[in-house]
Amino acid sequence: ALPAEKAVVCFGSMFIELPKEKTREMLRQDQEELDEEINNLRKELRLKVNRLYEAQGKPELKGFNLNPMSAEEMKLINRILEG
């Protein structure tokens, strides 16, 4: 059994025992980087789709520039809907 303050993390094909706080911080940083990359890809996609529509002589898509709600916004909406 692992001590309560340790976590086992898989890196490639290796398992490494790390402090839980260090593991939590690494996961938080990874998630922030992934969120940023996803947002950048969404922005690029919007531009590319608009250029494609423009090249085809079609009008710009309506509502395509909307942004997804954040996790906190979703929690608030769910709280409101639940009563």
Side-chain angles (χ1 to χ4, degrees), residues 5-45:
E5 65 278 351
K6 297 282 185 175
V8 176
V9 183
C10 181
F11 289 102
S13 60
M14 292 187 321
F15 286 89
I16 300 174
E17 193 175 309
L18 294 172
K20 276 190 179 178
E21 196 52 45
K22 173 77 172 165
T23 304
R24 185 175 288 120
E25 180 59 24
M26 286 171 42
L27 290 172
R28 188 194 59 74
Q29 277 184 320
D30 284 351
Q31 189 61 54
E32 283 180 8
E33 289 173 18
L34 289 170
D35 288 343
E36 187 176 329
E37 188 175 341
I38 288 168
N39 287 332
N40 289 337
L41 289 170
R42 282 182 178 142
K43 288 176 191 172
E44 289 174 23
L45 178 63

